[in-house]
């Protein structure tokens, strides 16, 4: 292993920085020099993270530029690139151009970093065939102060008593119940009253006398990343700027801040002193044994920033609220299990033997007996009973309350974490936007010139991108149509094929799913097509899931390109536009098949002798148990299947990638003569970790899950239970990824979860309408209620009430009569009962959604978005900040005022 320091004196590299400081000094409020800090030297070496220094024992150090400079600068950021070493003759002209271009870009970029005032050190790990280069970056004190003011970073003025609270902990304490969720986590981050940093007011900020600790590690990382994102390596108007572009071009392999140290230590005593922040998070958060403890969110925010902390806050809040929904849903499902044995229409169907001969389900299919579908009818009754109506109403109110209390939680945390007005005042233009915007304009809030892109041109680009989104949505619809045709064709093919596989399927179906609830139905002559339809439906669900996963990967890359082209000013607006595009597509991708089954399947079938077709294939009918049981199956296959696939990927994929990275880099160290991992440098250990992939996929997974358990909850009361079990695993799985498997991400600030909150609100409103239509048109609830009111309260004869007789022409053609599910007369026209039920169903939809929305509106008025205590704290801290930064000048007396006014 070899180690090299960057050539040239660091003092010379600061000349460009000093010239840049002239602009900064010109806009200062005070002319007095408040920062008189010597520049650091150019020592070599490095150590772990933001709490150690870049020097190794025994290595020579250059003389410092100014007496009194710190001997060991902090490592703030690491850049890495890998290089294949070949003899000059082994390179041909076609392969030599690209490495030469990359080398020129890299050298220009590093020189511009030195000119910006950064210290640049380099370490190499090299064998005969390849080399890994590590560039260690650190920022001197003046650079940190300059960019801290330029970025409008908030820094502490005074420490406040910690007022963080948890409503469940307070409730249990008030009730006197021991709280097993509560755990004392050491090194609790203090709470501060803070304001935007001003160099002219430096002495008034807390801890300003200690230059090593005044800027926290996350603040230093934000400053370094801002410099890296704006530094050019070529002509800026051609897009040759910023570390993101260099990473995309392969000039650098990675860019990351260092972790604070290893997440495990030799001493496993949790009360041991000197634990670094990463180890504390592992001990009290990322371990599987902490599944039943509160998350240490303040510690997460201190180490990873507000954006990551807000995601875990939302995930924990949502998971906690899933507990009552899962309990109620499980009770409703168990009630359905018991009601199967006492349900009169179901018993009539199972004991009807040959009383109801049903019409063929395809042109060449035989007649069949309704009693052959006893198991399916019983399964459908598990999900379609009176308790489903109660559960749908419960979940509608649950979702409304969830969002209302999340607003309060989010605003409380925004105040607690000092990002209450971040998006309106503090957030600056994206570096990529700033470098490519064609003009500048005055910011009406800050009064400063900022890069500007005309809104009219952006609107044109957004509209053009919307056309592409609609084209992709059309592709999803085409896939849905193909799935519908597949199910219809598959059902016919299976019914006509050898019955060995079909018989095995039927036997397994009865044994595993329905054998607990009932004895096998009496033998019937032709039960083939109904079972074939079940096979086609299940395999269609699996094929649909495969289509969903493939299209998701394709569209994600396309949406990223479109959003960059639209030129959004801030990172928040960029992410919001990207999220909206992807969610529109993904919602159609994931929800189209359940929507078809819930609201369209079996609605446009026709009647015997006059069936409707789609591309020559007869339209699908609902199974004997109704479309609700098929919808439940579709939900479980897509939602639970996607959860299992995602969790397996999140467990296995990082481990395999990490194993390969360690194996690849370890072989190079062995060839270089250093096979031991004990002496591994911190930047080498962190480079073996995986790059952080952000939070978009995590949010998308949870929001899609929220849609499944709210929009279609009437079909599957067990959905909240499966979501709860998944999320308990998801919290610790994501925590382990961030603490143990990912390189440390740059801490990002955020005021809330962004556009996701608006998407959740839209899903909640859609869920109310969806469940109203599900109960009205897909469930037997209203037909049963109508039969009780007009016929028999004990539902005897209800089965015969729901079956129509085949038209006379069809019966004459086949010389036998048959029945089919519909409210039609003997000529195939809709009966008076159909129109009466249609009016009742539409009235039910209107009443249901008005009741739920009215209750939701009342709760919105009763539960204020901003707690009163937070409003008082905001006003109080704003007053204290003004007082702390105000000039301490005594008020002039009346004589002094008169003297000044009258003096020439």
């Amino acid at each position: 292993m070899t180690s090299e320091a960057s050539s040239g004196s660091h003092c010379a590299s600061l000349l460009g920085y000093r010239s840049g400081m002239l602009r900064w000094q010109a806009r200062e409020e005070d002319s007095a020099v408040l920062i008189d800090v010597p520049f650091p030297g150019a020592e070599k070496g490095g150590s772990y993270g933001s709490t150690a220094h870049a020097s190794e024992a025994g290595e020579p150090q250059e003389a410092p530029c100014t007496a009194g400079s710190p001997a060991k600068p902090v490592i703030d950021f690491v850049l890495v690139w890998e290089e294949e070493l070949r003899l000059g003759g082994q390179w041909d002209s076609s392969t030599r151009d690209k490495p030469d271009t990359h080398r020129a870009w890299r050298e220009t970029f590093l020189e511009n970093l030195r000119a910006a005032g950064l210290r640049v050190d380099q370490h190499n790990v090299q064998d005969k065939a390849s080399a890994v280069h590590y560039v260690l970056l650190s920022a001197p004190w003046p650079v940190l102060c300059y960019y801290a003011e330029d970025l409008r970073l908030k820094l502490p003025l005074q420490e406040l008593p910690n007022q963080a609270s948890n409503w469940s902990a307070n409730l249990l304490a008030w009730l006197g119940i021991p709280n097993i969720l509560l755990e004392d986590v050491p090194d609790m981050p203090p709470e501060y009253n803070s304001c935007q940093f001003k160099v002219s007011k430096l002495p008034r900020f807390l801890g300003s006398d200690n230059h090593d600790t005044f800027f926290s590690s996350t603040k230093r990382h934000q400053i370094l990343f801002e410099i890296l994102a704006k530094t050019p390596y070529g002509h800026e108007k051609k897009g040759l700027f910023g570390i993101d572009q260099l990473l995309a071009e392969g000039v650098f392999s990675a860019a990351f801040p260092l972790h604070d140290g290893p997440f495990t230590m030799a001493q496993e005593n949790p009360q041991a002193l000197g634990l670094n922040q990463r180890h504390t998070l592992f001990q009290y958060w990322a371990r599987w044994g902490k599944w039943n403890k509160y998350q240490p969110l303040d510690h997460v925010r201190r180490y990873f920033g507000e954006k990551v902390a807000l995601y875990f806050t939302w995930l924990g809040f949502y998971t906690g609220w899933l507990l009552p929904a899962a309990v109620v849903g499980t009770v409703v499902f168990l009630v359905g299990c018991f009601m199967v044995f006492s349900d009169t229409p179901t018993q009539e169907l199972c004991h009807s033997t040959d009383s109801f001969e049903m019409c063929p389900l395809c042109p060449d299919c035989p007649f069949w007996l309704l009693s052959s579908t006893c198991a399916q009818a019983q399964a459908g009754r598990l999900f379609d009973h009176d308790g489903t109506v109660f559960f749908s109403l419960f979940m509608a109110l649950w979702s409304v309350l969830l969002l209302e209390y999340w607003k309060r939680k989010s605003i409380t945390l925004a105040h607690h974490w000092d990002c209450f007005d971040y998006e309106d005042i503090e957030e600056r233009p994206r570096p990529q936007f700033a470098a490519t915007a064609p003009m500048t304009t005055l910011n009406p809030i800050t009064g400063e010139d900022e890069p500007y892109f005309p809104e009219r041109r952006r609107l044109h680009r957004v509209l053009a991108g919307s056309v592409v989104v609609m084209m992709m949505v059309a592709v999803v619809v085409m896939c849905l149509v193909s799935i519908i045709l597949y199910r219809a064709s598959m059902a016919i093919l299976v019914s006509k094929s050898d019955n060995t596989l079909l018989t095995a399927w039927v036997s397994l179906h009865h044994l595993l799913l329905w054998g607990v609830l009932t004895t096998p139905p009496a033998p019937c002559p032709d039960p083939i097509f109904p079972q074939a339809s079940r096979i086609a439906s299940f395999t269609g669900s699996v094929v649909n899931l495969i289509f969903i996963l493939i299209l998701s990967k394709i569209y994600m890359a396309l949406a990223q390109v479109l959003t960059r082209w639209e030129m959004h000013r801030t990172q928040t607006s960029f992410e919001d536009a990207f999220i909206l595009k992807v969610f529109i597509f993904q919602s159609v991708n994931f929800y189209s098949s359940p929507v078809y089954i819930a609201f369209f399947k079996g609605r446009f079938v026709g009647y015997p002798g006059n069936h409707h077709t789609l591309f020559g294939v007869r339209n699908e009918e609902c199974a004997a148990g109704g479309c609700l049981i098929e919808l439940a199956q579709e939900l479980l296959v897509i939602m639970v299947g996607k959860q299992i696939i995602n969790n397996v990927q999140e467990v296995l994929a990082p481990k395999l990638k990490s194993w390969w990275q360690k194996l690849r880099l370890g072989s190079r160290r062995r060839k270089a003569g250093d096979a031991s991992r004990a002496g591994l440098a911190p930047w080498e250990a962190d480079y073996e970790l995986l790059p952080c992939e952000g939070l978009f996929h995590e949010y998308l997974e949870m929001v899609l899950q929220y849609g499944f358990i709210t929009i279609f909850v009437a079909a599957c009361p067990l959905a909240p239970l499966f979501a709860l079990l998944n999320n308990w695993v998801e919290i610790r799985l994501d925590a382990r990824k961030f603490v143990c498997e990912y390189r440390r991400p740059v801490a990002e600030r955020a005021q809330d979860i962004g556009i996701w909150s608006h998407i959740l609100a839209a899903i909640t409103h859609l869920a109310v309408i969806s469940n109203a239509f599900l109960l009205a048109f897909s469930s037997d609830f209203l037909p049963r209620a109508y039969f009780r009111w007009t016929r028999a309260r004990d539902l005897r004869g209800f089965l015969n009430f729901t079956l129509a007789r085949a038209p006379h022409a069809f019966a004459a053609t086949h010389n036998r009569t048959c029945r089919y599910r519909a409210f039609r007369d003997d000529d195939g026209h809709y009966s008076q009962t159909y129109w009466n039920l249609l009016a009742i169903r539409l009235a039910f939809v209107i009443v249901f959604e008005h009741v739920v929305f009215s209750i939701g509106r009342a709760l919105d008025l009763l539960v204020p978005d901003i707690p009163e205590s937070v409003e008082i704290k905001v006003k109080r801290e704003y007053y204290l900040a003004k007082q702390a930064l105000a000039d301490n000048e005594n008020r002039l007396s009346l004589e002094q005022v008169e003297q000044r006014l009258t003096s020439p």
Side-chain angles (χ1 to χ4, degrees), residues 356-372:
F356 299 104
E357 187 177 39
M358 306 299 290
C359 298
L361 295 174
C362 67
D364 299 325
C365 294
F367 293 83
W368 56 284
L369 296 180
L370 185 61
S371 58
S372 65

Side-chain angles (χ1 to χ4, degrees), residues 293-600:
K293 302 297 181 184
Y294 291 130
Q295 298 184 84
L297 296 173
D298 286 329
H299 294 73
V300 176
R301 176 248 181 176
R302 177 178 62 182
Y303 193 73
F304 292 112
E306 287 82 3
K307 182 170 285 189
V308 173
L310 277 169
Y311 163 71
F312 282 102
T313 303
W314 153 250
L315 182 56
F317 183 86
Y318 168 51
T319 303
W321 274 69
L322 277 175
L323 186 58
V327 170
V328 175
T330 304
V331 170
V332 169
F333 177 76
L334 294 176
V335 168
C337 294
F338 288 109
M339 290 182 66
V340 167
F341 299 102
S342 59
D343 184 60
T344 301
T346 305
Q347 298 304 317
E348 286 182 351
L349 185 150
C350 291
H351 295 92
S352 62
T353 59
D354 57 353
S355 300
F356 299 104
E357 187 177 39
M358 306 299 290
C359 298
L361 295 174
C362 67
D364 299 325
C365 294
F367 293 83
W368 56 284
L369 296 180
L370 185 61
S371 58
S372 65
T373 61
C374 175
Q376 289 93 329
Q378 289 178 329
R381 195 59 186 155
L382 294 177
F383 302 98
D384 188 4
H385 54 86
D386 293 345
T388 305
V389 181
F390 162 76
F391 187 60
S392 298
L393 181 62
F394 171 83
M395 287 300 296
L397 298 177
W398 173 89
S399 59
V400 171
L401 278 174
L402 169 71
L403 294 188
E404 287 301 320
Y405 278 94
W406 168 248
K407 288 180 189 176
R408 291 170 60 88
K409 178 74 172 178
S410 177
I411 290 174
T412 302
L413 278 180
H415 167 260
H416 178 58
W417 290 342
D418 204 15
C419 50
F420 195 75
D421 53 358
Y422 170 71
E423 294 178 8
D424 295 331
I425 299 176
E426 298 179 50
E427 191 170 20
R428 292 172 53 81
R430 292 188 309 127
Q432 296 84 348
F433 174 85
T436 56
M439 62 187 71
T440 61
T441 189
L442 192 68
N443 187 318
I445 298 176
T446 63
E448 299 178 359
D449 275 338
E450 287 188 355
Y452 177 74
F453 190 81
E455 291 294 333
R456 192 179 188 85
R457 290 175 60 186
R458 180 181 293 117
L459 178 61
H460 291 164
R461 295 190 178 190
V462 171
L463 292 176
S466 301
V467 174
V468 178
V469 175
M470 297 307 297
M471 291 175 59
M472 291 300 298
V473 169
V475 172
V476 176
V477 175
M478 292 170 59
C479 291
L480 175 62
V481 173
S482 67
I483 293 294
I484 295 171
L485 296 177
Y486 164 83
R487 280 199 291 246
S489 304
M490 188 69 177
I492 297 174
L493 291 176
V494 172
S495 66
K496 293 181 178 180
S497 64
D498 183 15
N499 293 340
T500 303
L501 178 62
L502 184 59
T503 303
W505 167 268
V506 173
S507 302
L508 184 64
H509 198 252
H510 279 262
L511 178 64
L512 296 181
L513 299 179
W514 325 124
V516 176
L517 302 177
T518 182
T519 57
C524 57
D526 294 302
I528 301 299
F529 193 86
Q531 300 298 341
S533 179
R534 299 295 297 165
I535 295 176
S537 177
F538 178 78
T539 56
S541 299
V542 175
V543 173
N544 184 49
L545 177 61
I546 295 173
F547 274 155
I548 285 172
L549 297 177
I550 293 174
L551 290 174
S552 298
K553 297 292 184 183
I554 297 173
Y555 184 74
M556 288 285 292
L558 180 61
Q560 189 77 30
V561 173
L562 288 175
T563 309
R564 282 200 299 266
W565 180 61
E566 290 171 358
M567 290 290 290
H568 294 278
R569 174 181 170 271
T570 65
Q571 186 65 25
T572 298
S573 60
F574 175 87
E575 291 178 356
D576 288 351
F578 174 71
I579 289 168
L580 185 60
K581 285 185 185 64
V582 175
F583 182 77
I584 290 174
F585 173 80
Q586 294 285 43
S587 60
V588 176
N589 198 14
F590 279 91
Y591 299 150
S592 57
S593 183
V595 165
Y596 162 73
I597 295 174
F599 303 116
F600 298 99

Side-chain angles (χ1 to χ4, degrees), residues 83 91-93 95-107:
E83 184 179 17
W91 290 95
D92 55 38
S93 58
T95 58
R96 186 181 300 148
D97 292 341
K98 187 173 182 180
D100 290 344
T101 302
H102 285 186
R103 185 179 301 108
W105 284 352
R106 192 161 44 238
E107 291 175 355

